[in-house]
Amino acid sequence: MGEEFNPSKPIYLQLVDRISWEIIKGERKTGEKLPSVREMAIQSGVNPNTVSRTYNELERMEIVETKRGQGTFVTEEKERLTQLREELKLNHIQNFIEEMKQMGFSSEDMIDGIRTYVTNEKENNA
Amino acid sequence: MITFENVSKKYLTKHALSDVNVKIPEGKIIGLVGSNGSGKSTLMKMIAGLVAPSEGSVTIDEEAVTRRTASKVAYLSELDTYYSFYSVKETVTFFASQFPDFDTEKAYEILEFMDVDKEQKVKHLSKGNRGRVKIALTLARDVPIILMDEPLSGLDPMVRDSIVKGLLSFIDLEKQTVIITTHEVTEIEPLLEMVIAIRNGKVLALEDVETIRERDGMRIVEWLKKKYQEEA
């Protein structure tokens, strides 16, 4: 049934994250129409009012645009999407650092760890 | 808006509801949660005008609930309330004859959406398909208030999924309010915008589900447990 949601974060924000993620990954293209509120509600098993809230939030973030009588579209402002990509990157880095700190790793440990990991991966793929 | 003001209901010596005060807003899907015998069904039946309060008043849009306001409410009972010797089609025709607001075309549309064969006799349907028929009959009424008492109870995950999808496809929250009781709360949590906690005939809280998640970091079930503990 529907999808799993994290119980400690509002669903409308989890949907905002999910749609942003899909746009960055290119699964939803610039200028593409998003499903209607009802379709999105059915697809994700989520309350339609929650989906409306998600769309409003995405619009406030200028990631989507609502055209009267036509629906909601991914923005065509490439710059905004580049910026969104950076925001998501920062977000992931923050979460990573937060968790590593909790496990007691220093900044140097993290950077070393990443460097080693990336080097190993390159060699394995070579 | 559905308003309960100082509502109590006594059955002989047992209090089914005691001093309930709650204002239920419109245009939302609202979960009514609580343990068995907490008063969920009594509260539902009062909105439907099937049970009268012993004390206090229940109003819909400031009009006292009577048999007349019952025309604003579609009520899906926990029990099976149709004639099993009818075919699905005959059941639809029967419902259309009972409720002037019944939209026959919509009923067929919902039945088709949920893959139910119209020609089958109701008594020959699987439990899951009977559940689907009940949903179709309820959602086909063009009414502002839809009450569903345990619509998912005893049904397998496939049927529950199709019922939730049917609900989302055929309700209109600009005009309709849906109140659902269920024990499968976690499963339909993303569907609910608000939740009412009830215990021993008392309404403990009416809360926005997103707020519970954001402020308390909890699922409805955990929140309900907390409310129960606070009250105990």
Side-chain angles (χ1 to χ4, degrees):
Chain A
M1 170 122 18
E3 288 139 79
E4 283 295 311
F5 291 96
N6 176 343
S8 58
K9 188 173 180 180
I11 286 177
Y12 89 96
L13 286 179
Q14 296 184 53
L15 279 180
V16 165
D17 290 347
R18 184 178 303 168
I19 295 170
S20 304
W21 180 240
E22 287 165 355
I23 293 172
I24 293 308
K25 285 205 297 184
E27 285 167 14
R28 295 189 191 278
K29 307 258 183 302
T30 327
E32 190 181 301
K33 189 171 188 277
L34 292 182
S36 70
V37 167
R38 192 187 288 273
E39 283 169 56
M40 184 61 106
I42 297 166
Q43 279 172 23
S44 48
V46 165
N47 189 299
N49 292 339
T50 308
V51 177
S52 294
R53 217 172 149 194
T54 298
Y55 281 14
N56 287 340
E57 180 63 14
L58 286 167
E59 198 171 359
R60 199 193 57 77
M61 293 164 74
E62 297 177 348
I63 296 170
V64 303
E65 271 172 67
T66 299
K67 294 180 192 162
R68 199 182 287 256
Q70 293 181 58
T72 305
F73 298 81
V74 178
T75 184
E76 302 200 31
E77 302 285 334
K78 292 250 167 57
E79 236 166 79
R80 178 64 190 100
L81 294 180
T82 314
Q83 199 189 341
L84 174 67
R85 192 159 165 266
E86 283 302 308
E87 286 165 18
L88 284 184
K89 183 174 90 181
L90 209 62
N91 225 320
H92 276 257
I93 293 176
Q94 262 170 3
N95 290 340
F96 170 77
I97 291 183
E98 195 55 44
E99 285 179 11
M100 293 297 271
K101 269 190 192 158
Q102 282 174 14
M103 288 189 282
F105 291 107
S106 70
S107 308
E108 287 74 30
D109 291 338
M110 292 179 217
I111 293 168
D112 277 350
I114 291 176
R115 198 171 282 132
T116 315
Y117 187 92
V118 172
T119 317
N120 286 345
E121 213 179 36
K122 261 188 202 150
E123 279 169 9
N124 288 340
N125 290 338
Chain B
M1 170 109 73
I2 305 165
T3 311
F4 281 71
E5 245 181 84
N6 310 111
V7 174
S8 297
K9 178 68 189 177
K10 259 199 262 180
Y11 290 112
L12 296 173
T13 56
K14 191 185 177 297
H15 264 93
L17 291 179
S18 33
D19 200 26
V20 169
N21 285 286
V22 67
K23 287 182 198 301
I24 305 173
E26 49 196 44
K28 296 178 191 297
I29 305 176
I30 301 167
L32 179 57
V33 296
S35 52
N36 289 325
S38 54
K40 299 189 296 277
S41 295
T42 305
L43 201 126
M44 289 270 221
K45 285 179 187 158
M46 270 188 189
I47 299 171
L50 298 169
V51 166
S54 312
E55 280 166 58
S57 71
V58 184
T59 56
I60 299 175
D61 298 333
E62 286 165 23
E63 190 184 348
V65 169
T66 57
R67 292 306 300 156
R68 205 155 54 87
T69 55
S71 66
K72 292 183 178 174
V73 182
Y75 171 67
L76 180 145
S77 137
E78 233 178 326
L79 308 167
D80 288 348
T81 48
Y82 34 67
Y83 298 108
S84 61
F85 50 83
Y86 275 167
S87 69
V88 173
K89 211 168 162 181
E90 285 163 341
T91 308
V92 168
T93 311
F94 173 72
F95 267 70
S97 73
Q98 298 304 300
F99 301 106
D101 52 54
F102 192 88
D103 183 342
T104 303
E105 214 169 290
K106 188 171 175 185
Y108 286 138
E109 205 184 323
I110 303 171
L111 288 166
E112 190 150 317
F113 178 87
M114 299 206 267
D115 254 336
V116 178
D117 178 4
K118 295 188 296 244
E119 307 301 333
Q120 285 253 13
K121 286 233 190 302
V122 172
K123 65 176 167 193
H124 294 150
L125 292 176
S126 64
K127 191 172 181 196
N129 274 339
R130 277 208 303 276
R132 289 178 168 116
V133 169
K134 277 169 74 176
I135 298 290
L137 294 171
T138 311
L139 296 183
R141 287 191 55 201
D142 183 13
V143 286
I145 299 169
I146 295 172
L147 308 174
M148 298 180 150
D149 204 353
E150 293 291 340
L152 306 175
S153 155
L155 302 175
D156 69 53
M158 294 278 287
V159 179
R160 296 206 293 264
D161 189 59
S162 91
I163 286 177
V164 166
K165 290 211 156 66
L167 182 67
L168 285 168
S169 307
F170 294 101
I171 50 160
D172 181 357
L173 291 180
E174 294 198 0
K175 296 190 300 193
Q176 295 181 306
T177 304
V178 183
I179 305 176
I180 303 179
T181 68
T182 180
H183 287 109
E184 283 86 355
V185 198
T186 301
E187 194 166 313
I188 63 156
E189 191 163 320
L191 201 67
L192 304 175
E193 190 172 347
M194 292 190 102
V195 64
I196 301 171
I198 182 168
R199 177 181 189 262
N200 288 342
K202 290 199 175 87
V203 168
L204 305 180
L206 166 74
E207 190 99 65
D208 198 276
V209 179
E210 293 279 60
T211 306
I212 296 174
R213 228 171 261 127
E214 188 159 32
R215 186 196 54 206
D216 307 330
M218 284 180 182
R219 290 187 195 286
I220 293 175
V221 176
E222 297 162 331
W223 172 81
L224 182 66
K225 267 189 206 147
K226 192 182 106 189
K227 287 285 161 199
Y228 267 46
Q229 278 161 5
E230 283 170 7
E231 191 68 13

